[in-house]
Amino acid sequence: MAASKKPRLRDAALRRLLSVVCVTLCGVLLLICLSGSNSTSTTIEITEDLNIDGDGSSAYQLDLKVRVRDNLPKQNELSRRLDNLNRLPPKNSDLYPNLGKDRIVIVLYVHNRPQYLRVVVDSLSRVEGINETLLIVSHDGYFEDMNKIIDRIRFCQVKQIYAPYSPHLFSNSFPGVSPRDCKDKDDAREKHCEGNPDQYGNHRSPKIVSLKHHWWWMMNTVWDGLRETREHSGHILFIEEDHFIFPNAYRNLQILESLKPKKCPDCYAANLAPSNVNSRGEESASLIAERMGNVGYAFNRTVWRKINSKAREFCFFDDYNWDITMWATVYPSFGRPVYTLRGPRTSAVHFGKCGLHQGQEAKKACIDSGTMNIRVDDPDKASNIESDWEVKVHENQSGYKAGFKGWGGWGDDRDRHLCLSFATMYHSTGTTAPL
């Protein structure tokens, strides 16, 4: 009797084992199917061989191999999708297949103010020579209304890039809002929360720190990451979504770039507008050398290398504003005054009442329809800078400078180290492959 039970026990054990194996295999197959369907529905399809010239003569080869990003936050699905979009070629290359050899690339830095962006894009469409260059639009986050405005551009080659580590993309983790983040003036030990306060005792606000993160990511990506610009030897012009650009801006900037080595060899940059944003210029028959402004500024790779070498100064200064950080700590570290060259009449105007950090969706958002009447006179429609003009130097101007301790908002070690990671992500010693 005992001998006859053993085969039955063995058979039962074998059946149980087979059942477990079958269930496991079914589970694995189900996961594979779900994974495949998810990747199909959520991944942006990118063709690996896209024609950039429009005539089939050459192809835009995409290299999507990215090294391990040890020093950067873990990406979510949206962040990865935007990273892939950054590798797409410029649009309108079929309409403008040949860019100017001496082109000054234009980079437009935007967040989410479509009412302003429409004004800027319309002003750019009237700029003489805009069809000779590439316009790069750098987005801090992903906003459909902003994309639609850029998608309608037909007056030049245009490429959109998206900051993949923007706090706006991360709803429950750094660099966005983390569940364990300290808020306002929380005591980290008492509240058992995460974060370092700034010099005024305030903890980070993701919407605020995004301004500085975006600018620094954009600079490193444009100069060292994008295949369209990483070997560009000329000047690159940087403007924002509330800068109205006059029709003569591009031609004037080309003249300033050519005159700068002779007229002002110590000038680091060229500007479209006075450093005093309320000024329209002196309208005198002379060039102006003055402190670097933040409206329509252009510089070359040599200057960028100097700025990038000061990454620690930039990333550890306790101020969420990129421009104040530059004025108060980076420029002073160069050891001599940082001058920029401009014409006596402005070619760009700062407009708008709402700051970048005043979001559109907040209950107390800044509201501005974007309607305005910026006068464009005849001298603003064609280049108005003469090569035989002398240079007038403005010294000891007022404004932020060395010794200013900053407005705060930038005290969290996580923000500082993310900032440092951006400075090396495209270098041979960094962790990210070029785009």
Side-chain angles (χ1 to χ4, degrees):
M1 188 75 175
S4 66
K5 285 183 179 179
K6 287 183 180 178
R8 284 199 295 265
L9 289 171
R10 282 197 297 269
D11 290 344
L14 183 60
R15 284 194 296 272
R16 283 196 297 270
L17 178 62
L18 288 173
S19 298
V20 171
V21 170
C22 289
V23 170
T24 303
L25 286 174
C26 290
V28 170
L29 289 171
L30 181 61
L31 285 173
I32 291 173
C33 291
L34 289 173
S35 173
S37 63
N38 285 343
S39 63
T40 302
S41 62
T42 59
T43 301
I44 295 173
E45 294 182 5
I46 298 179
T47 306
E48 294 191 1
D49 188 6
L50 296 172
N51 182 19
I52 194 172
D53 290 335
D55 58 1
S57 61
S58 65
Y60 189 94
Q61 300 293 333
L62 291 180
D63 179 9
L64 297 182
K65 295 179 182 177
V66 179
R67 303 188 190 108
V68 177
R69 301 169 186 241
D70 294 328
N71 300 320
L72 295 170
K74 183 178 179 180
Q75 291 181 277
N76 57 28
E77 179 63 19
L78 179 56
S79 174
R80 287 191 293 271
R81 290 169 66 189
L82 296 183
D83 228 353
N84 287 342
L85 284 181
N86 292 344
R87 292 166 169 79
L88 290 175
K91 296 179 181 178
N92 300 333
S93 56
D94 55 333
L95 301 177
Y96 308 99
N98 301 310
L99 299 179
K101 291 182 180 179
D102 61 343
R103 64 184 175 275
I104 298 173
V105 175
I106 302 173
V107 178
L108 174 57
Y109 164 91
V110 305
H111 175 49
N112 185 25
R113 297 180 292 179
Q115 77 276 28
Y116 289 176
L117 184 60
R118 291 187 192 95
V119 176
V120 176
V121 168
D122 182 66
S123 72
L124 284 171
S125 71
R126 305 169 196 275
V127 171
E128 183 184 348
I130 190 73
N131 60 318
E132 301 170 10
T133 192
L134 168 66
L135 172 65
I136 297 173
V137 182
S138 182
H139 296 265
D140 183 19
Y142 185 85
F143 303 101
E144 194 57 41
D145 286 345
M146 303 293 281
N147 287 331
K148 288 177 181 177
I149 295 170
I150 303 303
D151 282 340
R152 289 195 288 268
I153 290 178
R154 293 293 181 271
F155 52 78
C156 68
Q157 281 198 28
V158 61
K159 178 182 176 77
Q160 297 194 74
I161 59 175
Y162 304 85
Y165 298 99
S166 168
H168 302 282
L169 306 179
F170 296 82
S171 59
N172 58 2
S173 64
F174 178 83
V177 178
S178 303
R180 293 187 63 249
D181 278 354
C182 298
K183 296 178 176 62
D184 302 324
K185 291 185 179 288
D186 283 349
D187 184 302
R189 290 183 182 179
E190 189 178 298
K191 295 277 190 177
H192 302 290
C193 55
E194 187 177 5
N196 313 97
D198 64 12
Q199 60 188 309
Y200 304 106
N202 298 303
H203 286 279
R204 74 189 296 267
S205 166
K207 287 184 179 180
I208 295 296
V209 300
S210 70
L211 306 182
K212 191 168 176 176
H213 277 312
H214 180 202
W215 188 86
W216 190 239
W217 173 87
M218 172 192 70
M219 283 290 170
N220 282 277
T221 297
V222 167
W223 286 108
D224 297 328
L226 298 182
R227 65 180 65 239
E228 292 85 3
T229 49
R230 65 183 181 229
E231 295 181 1
H232 182 71
S233 58
H235 281 53
I236 295 180
L237 169 67
F238 296 91
I239 58 177
E240 298 183 15
E241 67 190 32
D242 56 359
H243 294 173
F244 183 94
I245 310 301
F246 289 164
N248 64 3
Y250 189 73
R251 294 298 183 221
N252 274 351
L253 194 58
Q254 286 180 313
I255 295 172
L256 289 170
E257 181 187 18
S258 66
L259 293 178
K260 188 158 65 73
K262 301 174 184 177
K263 296 282 187 177
C264 190
D266 293 332
C267 283
Y268 282 79
N271 259 89
L272 293 178
S275 60
N276 178 358
V277 295
N278 297 315
S279 171
R280 290 296 187 96
E282 301 78 6
E283 301 196 32
S284 59
S286 63
L287 298 171
I288 307 297
E290 65 170 358
R291 74 192 299 265
M292 188 99 145
N294 61 0
V295 177
Y297 52 96
F299 52 85
N300 61 22
R301 186 171 298 277
T302 301
V303 174
W304 164 243
R305 285 281 164 254
K306 203 168 181 68
I307 293 172
N308 182 262
S309 71
K310 303 296 182 180
R312 182 161 288 274
E313 287 84 346
F314 182 87
C315 293
F316 279 78
F317 185 69
D318 189 10
D319 194 304
Y320 67 90
N321 298 284
W322 68 264
D323 47 3
I324 295 176
T325 299
M326 295 295 289
W327 288 321
T329 186
V330 175
Y331 295 150
S333 71
F334 291 172
R336 59 188 177 91
V338 175
Y339 287 114
T340 186
L341 188 67
R342 65 168 174 85
R345 185 181 176 96
T346 193
S347 291
V349 172
H350 175 272
F351 68 90
K353 303 169 187 175
C354 301
L356 277 172
H357 60 281
Q358 294 171 291
Q360 302 300 313
E361 62 283 329
K363 289 182 180 178
K364 294 183 179 180
C366 178
I367 304 299
D368 183 359
S369 66
T371 57
M372 64 207 62
N373 182 22
I374 297 175
R375 198 172 80 182
V376 178
D377 297 324
D378 287 340
D380 305 317
K381 297 177 182 177
S383 58
N384 54 17
I385 294 175
E386 300 294 336
S387 60
D388 59 350
W389 285 348
E390 296 299 318
V391 178
K392 190 182 219 177
V393 180
H394 290 180
E395 297 179 333
N396 303 317
Q397 291 175 283
S398 60
Y400 296 102
K401 56 190 66 175
F404 178 67
K405 65 179 184 177
W407 290 113
W410 193 265
D412 199 299
D413 285 342
R414 294 171 296 173
D415 288 313
R416 294 174 172 185
H417 287 97
L418 176 58
C419 178
L420 282 179
S421 297
F422 290 159
T424 57
M425 61 186 173
Y426 301 114
H427 298 178
S428 58
T429 56
T431 59
T432 306
L435 299 175

